Amino acid sequence: MSDPTPALTDPAVDGDAPADATGASSAQEEDALLDRVRPVAGGGRDIKDAATRQVIGRAPEQSVAELDDAVARAKAAQPAWEALGHEERSRLLLAAADRIDASAEALARIVSREQGKPLNGPGARFEAGGCAAWLRTAAATVLEPEVVVDDGEVHAELIYKAVGVVGAIGPWNWPMLIAVWQIAPALRMGNTVVVKPSEYTPLSVLALLSVINEVLPADVLIGVAGGRELGARLASHPDIDKVMFTGSTATGRKIIESSAGNLARLTLELGGNDAGIVLPDADPQAIAEGLFWGAFINTGQTCAALKRLYVHDSIYEDVVSALGQLAEQVPMGVGLDEENVLGPLQNEQQFDIVSRLVEDAKRNGGRVVAGGSPAAELGELFYRTTIVADVADGVALVDEEQFGPALPVIRYSDVEDAIARANGLEAGLGASVWSSDRDAARKVAQRLQAGTVWINSHGGVHPMIPFGGVKGSGYGLEFGVEGLKAVAVPQVING
């Protein structure tokens, strides 16, 4: 799980599906998981397959009163959960990871249908596997007391204790994986967690929670599904001690305002508009697949995807041509079809955003090298994989986060200008530098205003490497030791 942008020849992308991937057993287990999360007393709302627009299940629509009850139950359960100690909590997280592995194909099918990402490539099976990997890493990561002074007269240690109740508010693009990014460290440190999934993709998250809860004590991990009013209440709830949110910068600002009342600690992973800079010594053919998957993983619906690409004038046309060829070749379609590795936009709102930005780029002189229009023959929310050349800063496709399958490629001649333009927007989640000279790339990377800068790749995450944004992309770190500290309260023992 160290890199979500594998080459098309990587076995993780092209490997055979499990033997029963299209058989009755997988479908039956999928139905059984969906039955677990269906509203027990009627009500709720239909959730549609992103690709086919057919109803795949019903999700609960819970009230603010039900959320309040969930928080109260989580608060009551927290002291006993913390008292189990790190070793026992880690054992249970490892058991939960085993349960996820056992249900991985059914979970992958649910998230493929609900979110739209195909089973293969860096898609739904990848996401299900990542959930288990992040749980295991959180269980195995050691957070030792830190001796800050020991001079013979004073001995002071810094230790980390549970915060209390964590409110986890997730997005729709990687619904299960990002939920686990929030859940795993929080549980590991002795917190209880109330999860509010996106109203667009609740089924996969609720199914995942039901699998994890097969091994956890009651009320340690609770999911509450519903509209945005639940997220607002969770962020401002007086008994929530920590809020973890992944989503838009605008919503992140509202959560900051809400937290003024309860003084909840925050980890915010907000919107990104990641820039990539291709230096003149790069080999266009060698970097083409890395650029492509950096931009188009999950059909571009990834916060830390490559969203604007600055290419030196001397190799500009070669890079544009290589990207255009890949965009035309990589198969797109319904996620349950084994050959596809790109899918639809997840929802109508995002489809409209991508369409608007591409049309605006055309009006402003953008040259469509590949794609550039809806793929209506595939389904309602499909948009062709799109490369737009000859655009510049100030065009909406460059300045706004498209969060979809459309990459603007911007020409530059002076690297100082490229750095300034890359740093010119509010977003600061990720960035990348592409070069045959790693030392030269590192010098450029250190000048980019982003939480993570990748060299000759883009968007790869690892459960032990801290991840977080700067500027309008939020604050706080996830993953590894720093991720455990982020869901804990530091305490100094002096004496």
Side-chain angles (χ1 to χ4, degrees):
M1 291 303 300
S2 62
D3 188 349
T5 57
L8 285 175
T9 55
D10 191 307
V13 176
D14 286 341
D16 291 337
D20 66 344
T22 58
S25 61
S26 294
Q28 288 171 355
E29 186 178 4
E30 177 188 357
D31 289 342
L33 284 178
L34 290 174
D35 283 341
R36 289 190 196 180
V37 304
R38 182 180 292 119
V40 293
R45 62 189 179 89
D46 290 337
I47 301 296
K48 294 181 179 180
D49 185 309
T52 67
R53 309 308 290 155
Q54 296 175 345
V55 173
I56 61 175
R58 285 188 73 76
E61 281 282 287
Q62 292 170 279
S63 66
V64 169
E66 289 173 298
L67 182 143
D68 289 344
D69 177 69
V71 173
R73 287 156 46 208
K75 183 178 181 180
Q78 192 275 324
W81 174 246
E82 185 176 8
L84 288 178
H86 288 296
E87 184 176 347
E88 177 62 9
R89 291 195 300 272
S90 293
R91 184 189 70 80
L92 291 170
L93 291 184
L94 291 173
D98 290 343
R99 297 295 179 93
I100 290 174
D101 282 341
S103 299
E105 187 64 18
L107 290 170
R109 287 175 61 88
I110 294 171
V111 78
S112 176
R113 297 170 71 194
E114 181 180 52
Q115 196 279 329
K117 58 172 61 72
L119 291 170
N120 291 321
R125 290 182 178 126
F126 175 90
E127 180 164 1
C131 292
W134 254 264
L135 275 171
R136 290 193 174 99
T137 301
T141 300
V142 176
L143 178 55
E144 298 283 3
E146 301 172 31
V147 177
V148 292
V149 174
D150 188 10
D151 60 8
E153 295 183 5
V154 176
H155 181 89
E157 290 185 353
L158 184 64
I159 66 171
Y160 292 87
K161 303 168 67 174
V163 176
V165 182
V166 173
I169 305 172
W172 50 258
N173 58 330
W174 293 92
M176 296 194 307
L177 185 56
I178 291 177
V180 169
W181 290 358
Q182 300 168 334
I183 292 165
L187 292 178
R188 165 71 170 74
M189 293 306 296
N191 306 289
T192 53
V193 187
V194 178
V195 179
K196 193 277 177 189
S198 167
E199 57 267 39
Y200 289 114
T201 53
L203 296 178
S204 55
V205 175
L206 295 177
L208 174 72
L209 300 186
S210 75
V211 171
I212 296 174
N213 275 325
E214 291 174 5
V215 302
L216 296 183
D219 296 333
V220 166
L221 176 63
I222 304 173
V224 182
R228 295 185 178 183
E229 70 280 0
L230 293 189
R233 173 59 175 168
L234 192 59
S236 62
H237 198 289
D239 288 329
I240 289 293
D241 304 289
K242 167 86 183 187
V243 175
M244 304 184 77
F245 171 74
T246 297
S248 72
T249 300
T251 302
R253 288 196 172 98
K254 293 178 182 177
I255 288 174
I256 293 170
E257 294 172 0
S258 297
S259 71
N262 59 7
L263 292 179
R265 297 164 184 261
L266 302 176
T267 295
L268 303 174
E269 197 260 87
L270 307 179
N273 196 347
D274 290 14
I277 298 178
V278 179
L279 299 183
D281 66 355
D283 179 343
Q285 291 300 320
I287 66 175
E289 279 198 356
L291 288 170
F292 182 88
W293 285 111
F296 295 110
I297 182 172
N298 199 26
T299 317
Q301 298 166 109
T302 297
C303 294
L306 174 60
K307 298 190 173 79
R308 48 196 174 110
L309 182 62
Y310 297 88
V311 181
H312 191 269
D313 183 72
S314 62
I315 57 173
Y316 181 84
E317 292 298 340
D318 289 338
V319 171
V320 167
S321 176
L323 287 173
Q325 290 175 20
L326 282 170
E328 298 286 359
Q329 294 169 3
V330 175
M332 173 183 284
V334 175
L336 294 186
D337 292 345
E338 296 285 347
E339 68 272 17
N340 293 324
V341 289
L342 294 174
L345 278 301
Q346 199 282 325
N347 56 76
E348 294 176 5
Q349 179 181 5
Q350 203 58 44
F351 180 89
D352 291 343
I353 289 171
V354 173
S355 298
R356 172 179 62 82
L357 293 176
V358 173
E359 291 304 312
D360 178 79
K362 293 177 186 177
R363 289 193 296 271
N364 282 279
R367 170 167 52 105
V368 175
V369 178
S373 62
E377 72 279 7
L378 297 178
E380 180 181 336
L381 298 182
F382 284 89
Y383 199 94
R384 300 183 201 286
T385 311
T386 298
I387 305 294
V388 182
D390 301 342
V391 287
D393 296 82
V395 174
L397 182 60
V398 178
D399 290 1
E400 298 180 27
E401 182 182 20
Q402 67 275 47
F403 215 71
L407 178 66
V409 189
I410 305 111
R411 189 189 305 262
Y412 79 89
S413 57
D414 178 71
V415 70
E416 293 297 322
D417 178 55
I419 293 169
R421 290 153 77 182
N423 289 337
L425 299 182
E426 178 188 34
L429 188 57
S432 57
V433 184
W434 304 75
S435 172
S436 298
D437 184 340
R438 186 169 293 273
D439 290 336
R442 287 179 63 87
K443 289 178 182 178
V444 174
Q446 290 170 2
R447 298 177 60 193
L448 295 177
Q449 297 168 0
T452 299
V453 182
W454 293 273
I455 294 174
N456 293 329
S457 67
H458 196 110
V461 290
H462 186 287
M464 284 302 295
I465 299 176
F467 178 74
V470 299
K471 301 197 297 185
S473 293
Y475 49 78
L477 291 173
E478 299 177 271
F479 309 164
V481 173
E482 296 304 319
L484 295 183
K485 292 178 180 179
V487 288
V489 175
Q491 182 183 50
V492 174
I493 306 296
N494 191 339

